[in-house]
Amino acid sequence: MRCSHEYREELPAYLKELGEPFGLLRSVQLVGVALLENPATAESWINLIEQVEQASELSPRWRQALLTAPLISPRCNELLDKAEPLLMADNARRLIELMVAVRTSEVVPNDSVKSLFTEEELQSSDRVMPILMSDPIPRWSVWQPFMGWLLKRLNDLPTGVRPEAVKLMEIWQVKSPTGSIYRKEIGEIALEWLQKAEARRG
C-alpha cells in the first residue's frame, strides 16, 4: 500500500497508467479521507485535488471522488470544516461541484417503482436501472450531515451557490418523511429568499 505522500505525487499518473478503472473510485475516495483525517490541516487533500484538476486528461470522476471524501467519514462535519477553505475559494466553485456530486452520486435507486416491473424485467438491469435512478432516493447517511453543515452557512455563501442548493433542498423536502430534520429550516430559508426576491422586484 502506497503511503499518503506517494499518492499525492503519483495518483494522476497512476490512474492514467491503469486506464482509469471505475472500480478504483472508492479507493481514491478513501485516500481523500486519509489525507483529511490525519494532518492538522487540509493542505495535503487540497494539493491532491489541485494535481488531479491539472491533469486535464483524467475523467472528472476522480476529482469528484476526492471532493466527496469528507462525506463518507464518521467525522464528516469536522472534515468539511477543514475542507471549507478549498470549497469556498473562487466563489465556492468546488462547493457547487460537491453539491452536484451529492445530488447525482450519493443517491440510491427508487425501489418503490419496482412493482411496476415483472421479475424478468427486473433481471434486465440495463433497462430497469435507469428508470429506478430517474427518481432516486438520497443516501441519507451522507445527505443528513452534509445538509446540516450546508444549511448553517447558506445565507453567508455567494448567491451563485443558490441554484444548486435549491435543488438539494427541494429533493430533501420531497423525499424525506414529514417531520424529518431540516424540513423546517429549509422551508424558512426558502421563504426568506422568496421574500427578498419579491422585495427586489417591488
Side-chain angles (χ1 to χ4, degrees), residues 3 10-11 15-16 28 30 32 43 49 59 88-89 91-92 106 116 142 175 178 186 197:
C3 60
E10 300 177 13
L11 185 60
L15 290 171
K16 186 176 179 181
V28 170
L30 290 171
E43 183 179 355
I49 287 179
S59 167
M88 300 307 176
N91 288 316
E106 298 300 332
L116 302 175
V142 169
K175 299 297 184 184
T178 302
I186 288 172

Side-chain angles (χ1 to χ4, degrees), residues 8-53:
R8 289 202 304 276
E9 298 299 325
E10 300 177 13
L11 185 60
Y14 182 64
L15 290 171
K16 186 176 179 181
E17 177 187 339
L18 292 180
E20 302 186 58
F22 193 79
L24 284 183
L25 275 176
R26 181 68 171 181
S27 297
V28 170
Q29 210 173 27
L30 290 171
V31 169
V33 172
L35 292 176
L36 274 170
E37 285 187 338
N38 294 328
T41 70
E43 183 179 355
S44 299
W45 176 76
I46 291 171
N47 288 343
L48 183 56
I49 287 179
E50 290 176 343
Q51 287 183 25
V52 170
E53 287 176 341

Side-chain angles (χ1 to χ4, degrees), residues 7-8 15 19 46 52 59 61 66 71 74 83 108 112 117 128 135 138 141 162 165 168-169 172 202:
Y7 268 114
R8 289 202 304 276
L15 290 171
I46 291 171
V52 170
S59 167
R61 65 174 175 260
L66 291 168
L71 307 182
V108 295
S112 66
F117 300 96
V128 175
D135 185 31
S141 61
R162 292 187 180 183
L168 291 180
M169 292 192 296
W172 187 275

Side-chain angles (χ1 to χ4, degrees), residues 128-183:
V128 175
M129 187 55 69
I131 297 173
L132 298 180
M133 288 300 290
S134 65
D135 185 31
I137 303 296
R139 186 174 283 118
W140 299 113
S141 61
V142 169
W143 279 60
Q144 183 168 321
F146 178 69
M147 290 297 286
W149 182 87
L150 178 67
L151 291 172
K152 291 176 185 175
R153 293 162 172 76
L154 205 46
N155 281 323
D156 298 321
L157 296 178
T159 55
V161 166
R162 292 187 180 183
E164 194 56 46
V166 165
K167 294 176 185 177
L168 291 180
M169 292 192 296
E170 181 179 5
I171 292 170
W172 187 275
Q173 297 297 74
V174 170
K175 299 297 184 184
S176 66
T178 302
S180 293
I181 190 171
Y182 305 138
R183 287 175 67 97

